[in-house]
Amino acid sequence: MLRISDLTYRIGGRVLLDQAEAAINSGHRVGLVGRNGTGKSTLLRIINGEYSVESGEINAIRGLSIGFLNQDLLSFSSDESIRDVALGAFEEALAIEKAIEEILHGIEKGNDGPEVLDRLHDLQVRFEQLDGYRIRQRTEGLLEGLGFSTADLFRPYKEFSGGWRMRVMLARIMLKEPDLLLLDEPTNHLDLPSIEWIEEYLQRYRGTVIVVSHDRWFLDRIVNKIAEIANGKITLY
């Protein structure tokens, strides 16, 4: 799925990655470890395409979708409810749902020609393919699994503290079900029940996961590979 080849990255005059190499296969759940400052978070951002490298490359399967949870997401704010923020994961389904509602409204007014009905049929088929009728149920279930009460779901996102906001962003990323999930210290703002819930979720996750965490117990529970960054190299175990 992902091959890192001859990767070199510097910050100023300091070499973080020095001709590093690694191969990560589909379905791997990788714990990315190393001393502070060795470049764990930096490597996630390189994989996500945010940083350019001095030399080397990262080759991925065509059309690879990536979800990246990082601490920068805490700067996001919104007047929408936390349910609506998390529902943003289903951008295409929500757009189709709106288009269907507009067509149905037009039909009620007599605009029901063959082309309109064909368009409606095509949209409804695609909506079902996207499991559109369950997106709210899935969103609410995931948020409640992360510790929100049913009443919380309809409160404005901006009312919540940083830790709770991070849970909403985590839910939004998880709902997208990307091929590759990058998690940078995902347990930092979670209580024990939420951590246990995420462990169970990741154990069932069908995609590939790379997670940075200092929580050894958490890693032991979810990963099947360890990638250690040390002396500019990446070693897989």
Side-chain angles (χ1 to χ4, degrees), residues 160-177:
F160 290 86
S161 65
W164 289 99
R165 290 185 183 193
M166 186 60 75
R167 298 187 198 205
V168 177
M169 301 313 292
L170 177 60
R172 180 168 174 159
I173 291 169
M174 286 180 164
L175 288 165
K176 290 183 178 181
E177 297 185 343

Side-chain angles (χ1 to χ4, degrees), residues 75-114:
S75 62
F76 174 78
S77 186
S78 174
D79 292 323
E80 293 184 320
S81 69
I82 63 169
R83 189 189 73 156
D84 287 343
V85 170
L87 271 170
F90 303 108
E91 184 176 1
E92 182 183 356
L94 290 171
I96 291 174
E97 182 180 56
K98 182 178 179 181
I100 289 173
E101 290 174 354
E102 290 174 351
I103 290 174
L104 291 174
H105 184 65
I107 290 173
E108 289 177 357
K109 294 184 176 181
N111 184 17
D112 56 356

Side-chain angles (χ1 to χ4, degrees), residues 139-185:
T139 300
E140 292 169 7
L142 184 49
L143 288 170
E144 289 176 2
L146 288 170
F148 292 98
S149 69
T150 301
D152 284 337
L153 304 184
F154 303 95
R155 289 175 53 197
Y157 176 86
K158 67 180 183 181
E159 291 184 359
F160 290 86
S161 65
W164 289 99
R165 290 185 183 193
M166 186 60 75
R167 298 187 198 205
V168 177
M169 301 313 292
L170 177 60
R172 180 168 174 159
I173 291 169
M174 286 180 164
L175 288 165
K176 290 183 178 181
E177 297 185 343
D179 301 319
L180 176 60
L181 190 58
L182 306 176
L183 303 175
D184 195 358
E185 298 287 357

Side-chain angles (χ1 to χ4, degrees), residues 6 11 13 19 31 46 65 69 90 105 121-122 153 171 177 181 186-187 192-193 203 219 226:
D6 196 28
I11 294 182
Q19 296 181 321
I46 292 171
S65 58
L69 178 78
F90 303 108
H105 184 65
H121 174 264
D122 291 344
L153 304 184
E177 297 185 343
L181 190 58
T187 62
L192 183 58
Q203 287 166 0
L219 291 177
I226 289 291

Side-chain angles (χ1 to χ4, degrees), residues 209-225:
V209 179
I210 303 177
V211 55
V212 173
S213 178
H214 293 286
D215 186 336
R216 181 174 177 177
W217 174 253
F218 176 71
L219 291 177
D220 283 344
R221 296 265 292 173
I222 67 164
V223 306
N224 52 27
K225 298 284 181 181

